[in-house]
Amino acid sequence: DEKSEGGLTVEVEMMEFTKHIENIEVIERHNATFECELNTEYAEVTWFRDEKQLEEGEKYSTSQKGCSYFLTIYDVGQDDEGEYTAVVADKSCRAELFVILEGALQLVRPLKDVHCLEWQPNVFFECEISAAGQQPHWFRKEEEIFEGEKYHFKVDGKIQRLYFHDVMCADEDEYSFKIERISTTARLYVEARDINFQSPIEDLERLAGEPGYFEFELDTTDVETRWYKEQSQITLSPKYKMYDEQTHHKLEILDCQPDDAALYKVKAGPHTSEAHLWVKTFQEKVAMKGGDATVDVLFPHVADDDVQWFMLHPMDEETKAAIDESGVMAIPGATLARERERSPEAAPLPEDSILTPEGQILVPDKLLRMSPIAESDKYGFLKEGRRQSLIIRDVDDDDELSYSAKSKGVEVLTDLKLTERLLIMIGPENQEVPFHTKCVFECEINSDTEDVTWLKYEQELPAIPKYSYEKDGFKRRLIIKDCVGEDEDDYQ
């Protein structure tokens, strides 16, 4: 009389819909199938139409494939339209069945008259038809209109919309929607109003990596505004955010970089305001006294034709006093001074103020003198598209200054530091190469004339064909040919 015992454990699984049933449009006399998905294939799904449970038969059938559950309705007619529900445990989801008369398209909801103010945003006509996927036509009176700067068409399933941009009194008229034999008409009424800038956008200077904000104020609310970078319209993105709060409007540029420097415009009602974004970056250069120093700058654009170089150094007391007497506000940092219009009544400006070809004046900071650099025996320029270089010959203590390169709203400020000894600026990095291939170690020093000595495990490398050396400006390279296992070691 032996006995054996076993335990039964029932785990409760929380059933959830992973895909809800969706609205269906089907032509009369065809079949319609609703589908939902659950997180289990062991559910019991009950189907309802309105509040009545459906039973299997000639009209309805249910089926299952894995975690997908189906309800099929055969030979649908107008009487089958309604709301259908899938229920499992205490969870449910709903959708509607729409039956389309065979060969017939219907107008479900006509256009309605629209009343708005001039320059009001989000002005549109809307109607609804009985089936999606149809190609509509919009008319102003009897003339067909098309998408462009003034109009935008949007189709959202069976909903058809006509949007207006920069709506004005001249747009007041009758508009029609037509498709197949369907037509509906309504009128747009526009009320005139005055709109003015209380404060326009202003030039903006930012360091690379900082956010930037253009802001302006209008004298009224509910006005359509559009932002532009040069000629391209700006839209919401990870780069740009736009805020409209009553009369206050703002464009935020996240993480300003040199390629963001440009002319920005905002169009608000009938008016436009413009301002520049200037982006400044900093770098440091180390060079040896007595040699030549090369200041390299990489712009986000080709800058051969318009790059300007300046040196920044302290001003004397006489120049500071001249700026004070001029009555023109100096700009901190000196290098991104705002452009100011010339006025006959203005006091004399410092001699080193910069006059632009447009007849405007750049006024530097009172504490720093910003002097343009011209090509000479002391200075030379190397132009290579995006890369621009300033060559300073025979550098000494007087050359240990800041140097500015400016082009199209981008400025790169370089601090030149001098040293009397040879420094390794960037050391070699670990390398991993396949057998019988070459390996290249590279370092960078602060001289373009001095040589370096390469070591293997603290021993100077012998002068044999196995090793070769390259000198490229400030870079020095060691090339090891036909690498094998015995070449593995520390190199310096």
Side-chain angles (χ1 to χ4, degrees):
D1 295 332
E2 295 182 356
K3 294 183 179 179
S4 178
E5 296 182 357
L8 173 63
T9 302
V10 179
E11 294 184 359
V12 178
E13 183 177 11
M14 297 296 294
M15 287 180 284
E16 300 284 349
F17 282 99
T18 58
K19 177 183 177 182
H20 289 187
I21 60 175
E22 298 177 348
N23 293 345
I24 295 177
E25 293 178 349
V26 65
I27 299 175
E28 192 177 25
R29 303 183 187 284
H30 288 67
N31 299 334
T33 300
F34 287 105
E35 176 187 357
C36 64
E37 290 183 7
L38 290 155
N39 61 347
T40 176
E41 57 184 67
Y42 303 106
E44 292 184 6
V45 179
T46 306
W47 296 88
F48 293 80
R49 180 191 169 188
D50 297 327
E51 301 299 326
K52 181 180 178 181
Q53 184 174 342
L54 302 177
E55 302 292 341
E56 292 259 2
E58 294 183 357
K59 188 65 177 177
Y60 306 105
S61 70
T62 59
S63 58
Q64 176 187 356
K65 185 177 181 180
C67 295
S68 297
Y69 298 81
F70 305 90
L71 167 68
T72 300
I73 308 163
Y74 298 102
D75 190 26
V76 299
Q78 291 291 304
D79 293 342
D80 295 312
E81 279 193 340
E83 184 179 77
Y84 289 78
T85 306
V87 177
V88 57
D90 61 342
K91 304 291 191 305
S92 66
C93 57
R94 293 176 170 80
E96 290 192 51
L97 173 63
F98 300 96
V99 179
I100 303 171
L101 294 176
E102 195 166 10
L105 186 66
Q106 297 179 348
L107 179 65
V108 177
R109 182 159 49 86
L111 299 177
K112 292 183 178 179
D113 290 345
V114 173
H115 297 259
C116 69
L117 297 172
E118 271 196 306
W119 312 105
Q120 182 176 319
N122 205 34
V123 175
F124 61 91
F125 283 110
E126 177 182 284
C127 66
E128 182 178 355
I129 55 178
S130 58
Q134 305 294 321
Q135 181 62 42
H137 298 273
W138 290 93
F139 295 81
R140 179 174 180 175
K141 289 188 175 177
E142 299 302 321
E143 182 177 351
E144 186 169 4
I145 56 178
F146 302 94
E147 284 197 285
E149 293 186 0
K150 172 58 67 174
Y151 306 110
H152 170 62
F153 305 156
K154 184 175 181 181
V155 179
D156 183 8
K158 296 179 293 182
I159 308 297
Q160 308 280 334
R161 295 190 183 96
L162 165 63
Y163 284 87
F164 293 82
H165 292 304
D166 297 335
V167 63
M168 298 178 288
C169 289
D171 298 316
E172 186 169 290
D173 215 330
E174 286 189 345
Y175 293 82
S176 300
F177 169 86
K178 296 181 182 180
I179 186 169
E180 294 185 1
R181 299 184 303 274
I182 296 173
S183 176
T184 175
T185 301
R187 188 170 183 84
L188 175 67
Y189 296 91
V190 183
E191 182 181 340
R193 62 170 169 169
D194 290 328
I195 298 172
N196 295 287
F197 279 101
Q198 294 287 80
S199 58
I201 59 175
E202 297 182 348
D203 288 348
L204 189 64
E205 175 189 330
R206 282 294 181 269
L207 299 178
E210 290 183 338
Y213 304 91
F214 286 110
E215 300 180 81
F216 70 94
E217 195 88 24
L218 295 174
D219 61 357
T220 187
T221 61
D222 203 20
V223 177
E224 181 177 6
T225 59
R226 282 186 278 174
W227 292 92
Y228 296 85
K229 178 184 177 184
E230 301 294 352
Q231 302 303 318
S232 300
Q233 186 172 351
I234 297 173
T235 57
L236 285 173
S237 68
K239 183 69 178 179
Y240 301 105
K241 292 184 179 179
M242 286 167 272
Y243 305 91
D244 299 290
E245 299 175 357
Q246 298 298 318
T247 61
H248 187 76
H249 304 266
K250 180 168 68 173
L251 169 68
E252 179 180 5
I253 306 169
L254 284 74
D255 185 26
C256 291
Q257 294 299 325
D259 57 0
D260 294 316
L263 176 67
Y264 287 78
K265 296 184 287 186
V266 61
K267 190 175 186 305
H271 305 295
T272 300
S273 179
E274 300 180 350
H276 285 90
L277 170 63
W278 300 82
V279 179
K280 184 196 294 190
T281 62
F282 292 89
Q283 61 183 21
E284 188 175 280
K285 174 73 178 180
V286 179
M288 290 188 65
K289 291 182 181 179
D292 292 346
T294 302
V295 178
D296 292 319
V297 170
L298 187 64
F299 285 101
H301 55 268
V302 174
D304 287 345
D305 296 331
D306 69 346
V307 66
Q308 293 177 295
W309 286 91
F310 303 88
M311 70 173 69
L312 282 71
H313 49 89
M315 286 186 178
D316 53 40
E317 294 299 324
E318 183 179 349
T319 305
K320 293 180 187 179
I323 290 179
D324 285 335
E325 292 175 5
S326 71
V328 179
M329 183 179 68
I331 306 302
T335 56
L336 292 184
R338 294 185 180 89
E339 294 182 352
R340 300 190 178 278
E341 295 182 359
R342 179 194 293 271
S343 172
E345 296 79 17
L349 292 169
E351 291 182 359
D352 65 332
S353 298
I354 299 169
L355 178 64
T356 69
E358 293 79 18
Q360 295 171 316
I361 295 171
L362 299 182
V363 180
D365 187 280
K366 289 197 301 181
L367 303 180
L368 289 174
R369 184 182 184 89
M370 181 171 64
S371 302
I373 300 175
E375 193 161 13
S376 64
D377 293 340
K378 178 69 174 178
Y379 303 105
F381 305 111
L382 185 61
K383 300 184 177 184
E384 300 176 301
R386 293 177 57 205
R387 183 177 296 278
Q388 302 288 313
S389 303
L390 167 66
I391 301 169
I392 309 171
R393 301 180 181 92
D394 191 22
V395 295
D396 55 27
D397 289 338
D398 292 338
D399 298 311
E400 195 170 31
L401 301 168
S402 293
Y403 296 86
S404 169
K406 295 171 34 173
S407 172
K408 296 181 180 177
V410 177
E411 178 183 19
V412 182
L413 194 65
T414 304
D415 288 332
L416 179 61
K417 305 295 184 183
L418 301 183
T419 179
E420 295 182 351
R421 62 187 180 90
L422 191 65
L423 295 177
I424 297 176
M425 309 306 296
I426 302 176
E429 297 182 349
N430 294 336
Q431 303 291 325
E432 182 176 334
V433 298
F435 267 73
H436 302 297
T437 62
K438 72 177 181 180
C439 173
V440 179
F441 286 104
E442 180 179 279
C443 70
E444 185 172 336
I445 62 176
N446 62 337
S447 170
D448 57 358
T449 59
E450 297 294 322
D451 293 323
V452 299
T453 300
W454 290 91
L455 308 177
K456 177 182 179 183
Y457 195 60
E458 299 185 352
Q459 297 294 319
E460 185 174 347
L461 293 175
I464 58 176
K466 177 76 172 179
Y467 307 109
S468 63
Y469 311 94
E470 289 183 356
K471 182 190 295 186
D472 180 11
F474 295 93
K475 295 179 180 179
R476 304 292 183 268
R477 299 186 184 93
L478 162 66
I479 302 171
I480 307 172
K481 304 180 182 71
D482 190 27
C483 291
V484 293
E486 64 185 29
D487 292 316
E488 286 191 350
D489 214 325
D490 291 332
Y491 292 81
Q492 61 189 73

